[in-house]
Each structure stands twice: as C-alpha cells, then as structure tokens.
Amino acid sequence: MHIAISKPQPVTGLRPVSLRRLSAFADLGLADEALVRRLKPRTLANGSILSVASNEGTGSWLLLGGWAARVRTMPDGRRQIVHLLLPGDPVNVSGGWAGDRLPIVALTPVIAADADLLRTVLKMGGPEHSALALACARASWCEQVYCLNAIVRLGQQTAYERLAHLFLEIDARLKAVGLVSDGRFQLPVTQDVIAHTLGLSLVHLSRTLRQMRKEGSIAMRPGHVELLKPDVLAAAAGFPHAATWPD
Amino acid sequence: MHIAISKPQPVTGLRPVSLRRLSAFADLGLADEALVRRLKPRTLANGSILSVASNEGTGSWLLLGGWAARVRTMPDGRRQIVHLLLPGDPVNVSGGWAGDRLPIVALTPVIAADADLLRTVLKMGGPEHSALALACARASWCEQVYCLNAIVRLGQQTAYERLAHLFLEIDARLKAVGLVSDGRFQLPVTQDVIAHTLGLSLVHLSRTLRQMRKEGSIAMRPGHVELLKPDVLAAAAGFPHAATWPD
DNA sequence: CGTCTCCTTGATGATTCTCAATGCGCGTGG
DNA sequence: CCACGCGCATTGAGAATCATCAAGGAGACG
C-alpha cells in the first residue's frame, strides 16, 4: 500500500484555512482578518527550507496547504522530526517559544503565507490586534503541548501505541481546520516521515501499519488514511492529546 | 554502587543559588534582588507535589536545593519524567510555557522559595522589574530547549547515548550554579528517576551505568557522579544541549 | 537483628533494527 | 507504445537492543 506525494492541499471553504484555525482560538476582529488576508501566499517545493536554525525574525509563515516539519539533525545524519506542521498552523509568529528556533523543512509542496509582516505587527503589541496576537499565542501553546506529548510517546510507548497516538493527533488537528471528510484525511507524506516522527525505523513502521490494517483499525488508500476504529486506537494511545490553553 | 537519597543541597556561596542562576540571564537591579530575597523558603519532603496539573497561578517556585521533576503519568501507570528541575531553576514563574501545566514532584527533599508573589509582580509588567522578568523568561526558554532535546534523545539515541547526553546536560546546568566541584556533582536521585527520564528500564540503565564505569568514562560514589572522560561522553551524546536565548 | 529500599546480576524473551531482496507505480526517454 | 530507472512500500531473515522476571546483596535504620 503506497503513500504518494501529492499536490498541495487546496484552500477549502470560503475563508482561508489559516483564518479558520485562528478563529478557533480567539474572536478575530475585522482588522485582524484583513491583516491575515493581506499576507502574500507563496508556493514552496518539497524539501524547501522554510526557516533556518538560530535565525530569528525570518521565516514566519501561515501554512495554507501541504505539510512541513521542525527537524533536528544529528552530526552523524540521524534525524528526528520534532513537530509536524499542518495546514492552518502559524509558525514562528509569536515569540517566546524555543521550538521556533528549529529548522523547518517542507515535507510536501507547500503553500504558505509569508507572515513576517504579521510577526512585526504583533511584536509592536498594539491593542487593535490583541485578539490576533492571542490566537497566535494559543496556537503556539498547542504546539508546545504536542511537543511535550511527543516526549511521553517516545519515552514510554511501543511502536503500535505511538502510531495510534500520532494518528489520533493528526486526525484531531486536521478536523479542527475541516480537512477530515468521511473520517478520512490526507496523509501526503512518505512513511519515512512518520517513522522519523515516531523514532522508528521505516521497516518497523511499515509492519506496524500492516498490523493496524489487518486488524481493521485503519484503512489506507494512496495518500489517505481512515481511522476505522478510533476507540481501539484511543485505547492503545493511552493518553490524550488535548491541548487546552490558559488565560 | 549506590545512589543514596541525600539531604537537600545547602545554599552555597553568599547569594542564594536562585540569584546566581538568574543573574546569568540578565543584570538584575537592586529591586530585583530584594524581591527575590523576600520570597519565603519552604522545605518540602521527598515526593511532595509542588504543582498540580491544569492549576494555573499556583505552584510557582524558585528551587533552592534538591531536585524535582515535571512528570507525566499515563492511565496504566507508566511514567515519563518530562524535565528535571535542578537547584536554581525558576518554575512556573513566566507565562506562556505549556510545560508549566505539568505536575511537579519533588524527587528529593526540596528547599524552594515560594514565588507566587514573584509571578504576580512580574505579571503586572512594571518596568522596575523588567530585568528580572527577562531573566525568568530566558530560564523558561532554556527549559524549552531541554525539552526539545529530550525529543531527539528519546527518538534517536541508544541507552548509552541518552545517558551520556543527560549527564553532560546535568553537568552543565549544575556548573552554571556552582554545584560542580572537582568535576563531581551530586546526583541525589535513585536510578529509577534517571531511567524514567531516559525512557529506559531500571535494569537496563543500571547496566549502562556499569558499562560507563568499566570504560572509565564516569566514576560514581554514593550520591555523586564524576565525568572522567567528558570528551568520550560528548562524542557519544552526539548533539549539544546549548541553550542560547533570543532577544 | 530484621526489614526495607535500592542496586546489581543472570537468564530469557519481546521489541525493534539492519540488511537484503522484491514488487509496484510512475515518469522518462527511446 | 514499451523498456528502463527511480522512489517508495513490502516482506523475510537474522541480529542487536532493550525489557521483564527473578534472585541476591549491600547499606540504612529502627
């Protein structure tokens, strides 16, 4: 069963996916929406570097389509995907999050709105964009929660459990931006990517996927995944990925 | 070779360890120092809960002696230590860090200054304590970096590599507050704690420690560790834990 | 002296990795 | 249109890492 590289996911619905995502965090005003809409979308090829390590103030984006990841590479070449970035995610917009200093790589062709302007505006702290600033801060908070979850996943769980947990997390995140239909979501990355996210070898991940398929817990069509038995997966995942925010 | 539970580490030097730690991040003014000194130290028994999950605004501390940890427990009882808290660490003082929502458990008897007042004062954002706020924010930043490092450690490294990396991290952090002398630092926790930090079984950690001892990379006396061959350990650790901060 | 906690060690088994080979789909160029 | 190459997924076999179970010992403490 193959997972094919696909075209960037289209912007569905009337409002861009970025606005749908951010509105879930705060009631955006008209000025907020206008500012977000003004940001220029760009298309980036698979493998592009969206952001370089230790280079602050550049590489701010609102991800509109396609997947990307914060990656850490070790001197001997081993790679760990620290966090997956999905459509709707703001990246490097709010300050104060160390994850923003990790390099970001496009895992598929990507459409992203250049948010350097947004970052600059929010940094000034004007009250006219306080709702937008709050929304971005909460999105950043959620990303932190996902990273903390990753520590538990990698430290305590088996391959099967890790995969179940990750699938549920992706499902929930994509649902939040309306990218799950009929219980199916697009998985536009190779198994290599999932393996690097879960700290597993490609071969072992492939076997774990097969096991889930044979059990009937999931179904896969090229480039897509369907969670057939979310309760079974949730039982395996063991702990939730709920990302509630403070304030 | 045994690692004994020991008494809380004394506050060494003229200034409390918290001030030594924070001064490394920013030039504290007299008002800052006075505020920190005013916080009341308390003694907490081993196993005490310093902070409860999802309970904001309470459980702010400046750790003065002893070790604590942010812990995540799974429904079936498995535990992962997400982050170790060492003497000098401010915890739950700055806002905006999701790690502050994890439960904190004392791993040894602990001396900690109650920092609820500090948190409140900094939250008001007055300019008279901007340096102190900056120092706390940078400490929080460092903690985030350690958590991101943990993801790579758990996802990509072998038991030996993880242990080497953790020892170097602890060594560097304790050095920063003057708690390493003659290349030796206190390790006041049981091997169980280290195992839960590294996502390893107690037995396997014990064997890995033995291996390092036989190689002569480390030496252990009850409650203490000495890194005899830091270069060997660094080569195994593979990636640095440098925590530089922005702004 | 007995008990308790913690560390150590051995034996065994499960999980996971690595190496290697195969096959499928797809694009490219003849 | 077909042959070929390439990237990706799959599968098998064997080995390494790591976990679990179990037993024993050293030290602390009452």
Side-chain angles (χ1 to χ4, degrees):
Chain A
M1 202 150 296
H2 294 256
I3 299 179
I5 299 288
S6 62
K7 296 286 188 297
Q9 299 168 23
V11 175
T12 58
L14 291 172
R15 311 167 75 200
V17 67
S18 53
L19 275 178
R20 259 183 290 141
R21 176 84 200 288
L22 290 172
S23 318
F25 290 119
D27 277 332
L28 303 186
L30 291 177
D32 294 327
E33 291 218 10
L35 175 54
V36 170
R37 286 181 192 277
R38 196 184 318 148
L39 305 175
K40 288 181 192 140
R42 301 177 57 179
T43 303
L44 298 136
N46 186 358
S48 306
I49 309 295
L50 302 207
S51 180
V52 186
S54 68
N55 195 349
E56 204 208 359
T58 88
S60 301
W61 305 94
L62 296 184
L63 209 53
L64 301 178
W67 287 26
R70 301 197 191 272
V71 179
R72 184 94 189 246
T73 307
M74 294 174 53
D76 62 1
R78 278 178 285 181
R79 289 187 163 210
Q80 173 68 34
I81 289 183
V82 173
H83 181 64
L84 286 173
L85 299 167
L86 307 186
D89 282 346
V91 300
N92 296 11
V93 174
S94 300
W97 164 224
D100 282 343
R101 285 305 185 82
L102 294 173
I104 297 179
V105 180
L107 302 174
T108 69
V110 154
I111 301 177
D114 185 326
D116 284 347
L117 170 65
L118 175 58
R119 183 193 174 94
T120 307
V121 169
L122 292 187
K123 208 169 192 173
M124 300 187 320
E128 66 275 19
H129 288 302
S130 64
L132 185 52
L134 184 59
C136 290
R138 285 174 171 171
S140 170
W141 177 279
C142 286
E143 184 180 325
Q144 296 173 29
V145 171
Y146 292 127
C147 286
L148 294 170
N149 283 350
I151 293 177
V152 182
R153 208 160 52 193
L154 294 168
Q156 298 297 323
Q157 298 198 290
T158 66
Y160 186 96
E161 293 167 340
R162 291 184 211 182
L163 184 55
H165 192 272
L166 181 66
F167 272 163
L168 289 170
E169 178 187 311
I170 293 173
D171 186 60
R173 290 172 64 188
L174 290 179
K175 260 181 191 146
V177 288
L179 288 175
V180 179
S181 49
D182 297 334
R184 221 169 50 226
F185 58 82
Q186 215 178 336
L187 190 75
V189 295
T190 63
Q191 294 189 3
D192 217 53
V193 167
I194 306 298
H196 280 101
T197 305
L198 296 179
L200 298 171
S201 71
L202 169 61
V203 174
H204 195 61
L205 175 73
S206 181
R207 287 191 228 272
T208 309
L209 280 168
R210 177 169 57 82
Q211 186 190 346
M212 282 192 179
R213 268 184 263 127
K214 283 196 175 167
E215 287 177 0
S217 302
I218 65 170
M220 295 178 70
R221 299 178 48 75
H224 292 267
V225 172
E226 182 176 359
L227 308 186
L228 298 173
K229 299 180 181 172
D231 47 340
V232 171
L233 297 177
F239 69 105
H241 37 72
T244 60
W245 52 86
D247 300 341
Chain B
M1 203 152 293
H2 293 255
I3 300 178
I5 298 288
S6 63
K7 296 287 188 296
Q9 298 169 24
V11 176
T12 57
L14 292 174
R15 309 167 75 201
V17 67
S18 53
L19 276 177
R20 258 182 292 142
R21 176 84 200 289
L22 291 171
S23 321
F25 290 118
D27 278 332
L28 303 186
L30 291 177
D32 293 328
E33 291 219 8
L35 174 54
V36 170
R37 287 180 192 275
R38 196 184 319 150
L39 305 176
K40 287 180 191 141
R42 301 175 57 179
T43 303
L44 298 136
N46 185 358
S48 306
I49 309 294
L50 302 207
S51 180
V52 185
S54 68
N55 196 351
E56 203 209 0
T58 89
S60 301
W61 304 94
L62 295 184
L63 210 54
L64 300 178
W67 288 26
R70 302 197 190 269
V71 179
R72 184 96 188 245
T73 306
M74 293 174 54
D76 62 0
R78 278 178 286 181
R79 289 188 163 207
Q80 174 67 35
I81 290 183
V82 174
H83 181 63
L84 286 173
L85 298 166
L86 308 186
D89 282 346
V91 301
N92 297 9
V93 174
S94 299
W97 164 224
D100 281 342
R101 286 302 188 82
L102 294 174
I104 298 179
V105 179
L107 302 174
T108 70
V110 155
I111 302 176
D114 184 326
D116 284 346
L117 170 65
L118 175 58
R119 183 191 175 94
T120 306
V121 169
L122 293 187
K123 208 168 191 173
M124 300 189 319
E128 66 274 21
H129 288 301
S130 63
L132 185 52
L134 184 59
C136 290
R138 285 173 171 171
S140 170
W141 177 279
C142 286
E143 184 181 324
Q144 295 173 29
V145 171
Y146 292 129
C147 286
L148 294 170
N149 283 349
I151 293 177
V152 182
R153 206 160 53 192
L154 295 168
Q156 298 297 323
Q157 298 199 290
T158 65
Y160 186 97
E161 293 167 340
R162 292 183 210 181
L163 183 55
H165 192 272
L166 181 66
F167 271 164
L168 289 171
E169 177 186 310
I170 292 173
D171 185 59
R173 290 172 63 187
L174 290 179
K175 260 181 191 146
V177 288
L179 287 175
V180 179
S181 49
D182 298 334
R184 222 171 46 228
F185 57 83
Q186 214 178 335
L187 190 75
V189 295
T190 64
Q191 293 188 3
D192 216 52
V193 167
I194 306 298
H196 281 99
T197 305
L198 296 179
L200 298 171
S201 71
L202 169 61
V203 174
H204 195 62
L205 175 74
S206 179
R207 286 191 228 273
T208 309
L209 280 168
R210 177 170 55 83
Q211 185 189 346
M212 282 191 179
R213 268 183 263 126
K214 282 198 175 166
E215 286 177 0
S217 302
I218 65 170
M220 296 178 69
R221 298 177 48 75
H224 292 267
V225 172
E226 182 176 0
L227 307 186
L228 297 174
K229 300 181 182 172
D231 47 341
V232 171
L233 296 177
F239 68 104
H241 38 71
T244 59
W245 52 87
D247 302 337

